[in-house]
Amino acid sequence: MELVNSFMAWLFKSRLKQIELFKNNPHQIQREIFEELIEAGSKTDFGKKYDFKSIRNYADFVERVPIHDYESLKPYIDLTMQGKQNVLWDSEIEWFAKSSGTTSSRSKYIPVSTESLEECHYKGGKDLVSVYVNNYPETKMFSGKNLAIGGSLEKNPLNPKGTAKAGDISAVIMHNLPIWAQIIRTPSLEVALMDEWEAKIEKMARDTMNENVVTITGVPTWTIVLIKKILELKKANNILEVWPNLEVFFHGAVAFGPYRSVFQELIPSPKMRYMETYNASEGFFGLQDQTDTDELLLMLDYGVFFEFIPMEEWEKEDPKVLQLSEVEVGKNYALIITTNGGLWRYKIGDTIKFTSTSPYRFRISGRTKHFINAFGEEVIVENAEQAIQFAAGETNASIANFTAAPVYFESGSEKGAHEWIIEFHSDPQDKQMFEKLLDEKLREVNSDYDAKRYKNLALKEPIIHYAPKGIFDQWLGKKGKLGGQHKVPRLSNEREYLEEILALIA
């Protein structure tokens, strides 16, 4: 086993030269990706509509092709789901990544081409391992199993008799893994792709608790649920009593900060490592390549061409759009992608802030639709997560989930407020102190919020509801969104989500 581990570690390091190449030549690599995408797109219905054959440069592309959201691409995607090919991409589409993006009732179906699967999602997974092995050459990660928590698959709803399938991107990836990758993962594919989450967690726990699990890949929320189930079954105090060789958790989908204290309790080892990824339904975009920071490296050779809209331009009818070479450190940008899965100038809905431009590293700052700006305060998810993580840390609390929305000015009320619903794994020792610190930290990290809170001029102190355990899962379940890629919206400028959850608490 030691020999196998050494060989696999050596094998994965071979990709590092290519990573250095795009780090050192980012704009050249992006130009080459752009040209390849235009060439492939020229053979499609979409490319013919926008005359891709006459596009000679980026300026032509911008002039010719409008920015699209899901609704504007949906007619093309629906045709593809119905079985028509060469609509958005020039190779056959047999898979669709199902994503709600938010927890709204409308599901999104993102085409997954062979190219996006092989050259983007899988390449990202292999690079994640390559970087990890390079950073930790003493790793024993290939001496045991990788536990992967995936979603589920379903029939194509627009063509149920066809061969194409849909499901969470994790399930699509898992189903198509090469044999060697299937051998070193647990649980079985049949269990990993179960669609009923309560039964799935139970079966996963029983199937994996006697394995030699060395690495975990998944979403923090469901990983916590699984670990707690295993501890219950094994009557163990922490997961290292079950998996003594566990060394790393590869995580994504939600910010890890609010969950860190929970994992440190479940995995009480100073040697335990955590690596973040940015792998969405639409593509694999970034990974944590350094050991001393949680910044993500923008992966530039995965068949994805990147553009960026400054957030101050977001609401404009004709917003300014920037290329990679034009972005600045510290500014908030909405991400626009053109991909080898057939998404053209697509608004993915995420916002990022660059921390470096040589190489291009960034942090995910939030969602274009997940923010509170009811009073000019422009609070984004990044602000909320910083504040709640700080307040929890100072009061020995750990967060399970949260959401917040504005209390708007109403008749008889001169001031607004932010209203929070918070579910804790462990409650704060001093709730009044928690609320005070949450407000103070939010004022510290967001000057616009601070200005509105100054002497309660526009905003009163936050209203906090302490939710019973399991309330967010109950809400997701009622909406048919429990499990997989679905997650609770952290912030909303509307009160719909908040009112629905409050009704369950009442």
Side-chain angles (χ1 to χ4, degrees):
M1 187 58 72
E2 183 69 30
L3 185 62
V4 172
N5 187 76
S6 298
F7 173 74
M8 292 296 289
W10 171 81
L11 188 66
F12 272 94
K13 278 190 175 184
S14 63
R15 165 68 182 156
L16 294 174
K17 289 183 180 179
Q18 282 71 41
I19 294 175
E20 285 301 314
L21 180 64
F22 77 67
K23 285 168 65 175
N24 295 327
N25 303 278
H27 307 132
Q28 176 188 336
I29 296 298
Q30 278 286 281
R31 279 194 298 272
E32 292 172 0
I33 294 290
F34 171 77
E35 290 167 1
E36 291 169 3
L37 291 170
I38 294 301
E39 172 63 25
S42 66
K43 306 164 190 173
T44 67
D45 293 348
F46 186 92
K48 291 170 184 175
K49 176 180 178 179
Y50 292 105
D51 194 16
F52 275 26
K53 285 188 178 296
S54 68
I55 292 177
R56 298 289 177 262
N57 50 44
Y58 175 71
D60 290 345
F61 182 60
V62 171
E63 182 181 357
R64 198 77 43 80
V65 183
I67 291 172
H68 288 76
D69 58 15
Y70 184 79
E71 291 304 316
S72 58
L73 278 186
K74 189 174 183 294
Y76 301 96
I77 294 173
D78 285 352
L79 282 174
T80 308
M81 293 182 74
Q82 290 162 9
K84 194 174 189 303
Q85 298 296 334
N86 290 318
V87 178
L88 286 167
W89 191 245
D90 71 336
S91 66
E92 188 172 359
I93 304 294
E94 297 182 328
W95 294 93
F96 296 88
K98 182 182 178 181
S99 170
S100 59
T102 67
T103 46
S104 64
S105 58
R106 184 182 299 275
S107 294
K108 298 178 183 178
Y109 292 91
I110 306 299
V112 180
S113 67
T114 300
E115 291 82 358
S116 62
L117 202 56
E118 295 289 341
E119 298 170 19
C120 189
H121 291 290
Y122 286 158
K123 197 173 185 179
K126 287 184 277 191
D127 282 356
L128 182 68
V129 175
S130 297
V131 168
Y132 180 79
V133 168
N134 185 63
N135 287 341
Y136 303 102
E138 75 283 7
T139 178
K140 305 294 184 185
M141 69 177 301
F142 300 107
S143 63
K145 293 291 184 76
N146 170 54
L147 190 155
I149 302 176
S152 58
L153 295 174
E154 63 183 39
K155 291 181 178 179
N156 173 359
L158 296 189
N159 188 10
K161 293 183 179 180
T163 57
K165 291 183 179 179
D168 295 327
I169 188 60
S170 58
V172 174
I173 290 171
M174 210 173 286
H175 189 277
N176 289 281
L177 282 172
I179 293 175
W180 68 265
Q182 297 284 12
I183 291 172
I184 63 172
R185 58 166 303 282
T186 189
S188 68
L189 197 61
E190 180 185 4
V191 172
L193 300 182
M194 287 173 64
D195 58 1
E196 204 291 299
W197 276 83
E198 186 175 8
K200 178 175 183 169
I201 291 295
E202 176 80 23
K203 192 73 169 71
M204 283 189 73
R206 293 188 180 278
D207 280 16
T208 61
M209 65 186 189
N210 295 316
E211 294 277 10
N212 177 27
V213 172
V214 181
T215 65
I216 302 175
T217 304
V219 178
T221 43
W222 290 109
T223 303
I224 289 171
V225 173
L226 177 63
I227 289 176
K228 287 188 172 182
K229 173 56 71 173
I230 291 172
L231 295 182
E232 175 190 324
L233 293 172
K234 296 287 280 188
K235 294 180 172 53
N237 295 311
N238 64 70
I239 201 64
L240 294 178
E241 295 178 9
V242 181
W243 299 326
N245 298 315
L246 181 64
E247 65 172 78
V248 62
F249 176 37
F250 300 114
H251 60 87
V254 297
F256 189 64
Y259 300 96
R260 188 174 295 277
S261 62
V262 180
F263 275 91
Q264 288 171 344
E265 183 179 325
L266 296 172
I267 315 170
S269 168
K271 295 181 180 180
M272 182 64 186
R273 299 156 185 154
Y274 301 91
M275 282 189 69
E276 184 174 358
T277 67
Y278 182 11
N279 188 19
S281 298
E282 296 85 354
F284 196 118
F285 307 128
L287 58 83
Q288 186 179 337
D289 69 319
Q290 299 174 300
T291 60
D292 58 348
T293 175
D294 60 358
E295 299 168 11
L296 302 177
L297 179 68
L298 189 65
M299 309 308 284
L300 299 174
D301 66 346
Y302 285 8
V304 179
F305 179 72
F306 295 100
E307 297 174 272
F308 309 88
I309 297 179
M311 282 309 293
E312 62 267 24
E313 297 275 328
W314 180 253
E315 299 292 341
K316 295 182 180 179
E317 187 174 333
D318 185 24
K320 182 180 181 180
V321 184
L322 306 179
Q323 295 184 76
L324 184 65
S325 59
E326 300 174 285
V327 301
E328 299 177 40
V329 168
K331 291 196 172 181
N332 207 26
Y333 297 104
L335 194 59
I336 308 298
I337 56 171
T338 293
T339 76
N340 52 7
L343 300 178
W344 300 97
R345 305 199 79 196
Y346 180 75
K347 297 192 289 189
I348 189 173
D350 290 336
T351 62
I352 68 171
K353 282 185 180 179
F354 283 96
T355 57
S356 166
T357 55
S358 183
Y360 285 96
R361 292 196 179 96
F362 66 96
R363 288 190 176 95
I364 301 168
S365 54
R367 298 278 294 173
T368 55
K369 292 183 180 179
H370 288 189
F371 61 92
I372 300 178
N373 191 30
F375 312 100
E377 68 274 44
E378 296 184 3
V379 173
I380 60 175
V381 172
E382 183 183 51
N383 304 150
E385 288 174 336
Q386 279 182 271
I388 201 168
Q389 183 179 346
F390 174 78
E394 292 295 306
T395 56
N396 293 318
S398 60
I399 305 296
N401 234 319
F402 73 92
T403 192
V407 177
Y408 285 91
F409 296 131
E410 297 176 355
S411 57
S413 175
E414 298 178 354
K415 301 180 180 70
H418 287 182
E419 190 167 10
W420 296 65
I421 302 175
I422 306 173
E423 179 184 337
F424 292 87
H425 282 297
S426 57
D427 291 341
Q429 291 177 340
D430 185 333
K431 289 184 177 180
Q432 286 187 328
M433 179 58 69
F434 175 86
E435 294 170 16
K436 179 175 180 289
L437 292 173
L438 174 65
D439 186 39
E440 287 178 351
K441 190 65 175 180
L442 201 51
R443 295 183 70 168
E444 178 187 325
V445 300
N446 186 307
S447 59
D448 289 320
Y449 176 82
D450 183 51
K452 304 301 183 298
R453 283 283 294 117
Y454 179 68
K455 294 186 177 180
N456 294 333
L457 287 177
L459 287 174
K460 297 183 295 184
E461 63 274 11
I463 301 165
I464 310 291
H465 300 275
Y466 295 86
K469 287 180 170 56
I471 197 70
F472 284 95
D473 284 351
Q474 184 183 341
W475 177 69
L476 287 167
K478 285 178 69 70
K479 296 177 76 67
K481 299 295 182 182
L482 186 61
Q485 299 290 309
H486 306 297
K487 43 191 177 286
V488 175
R490 296 306 200 196
L491 303 178
S492 175
N493 228 31
E494 307 298 329
R495 290 182 57 83
E496 177 187 357
Y497 304 130
L498 190 102
E499 295 290 358
E500 290 177 352
I501 299 170
L502 284 175
L504 293 176
I505 297 173

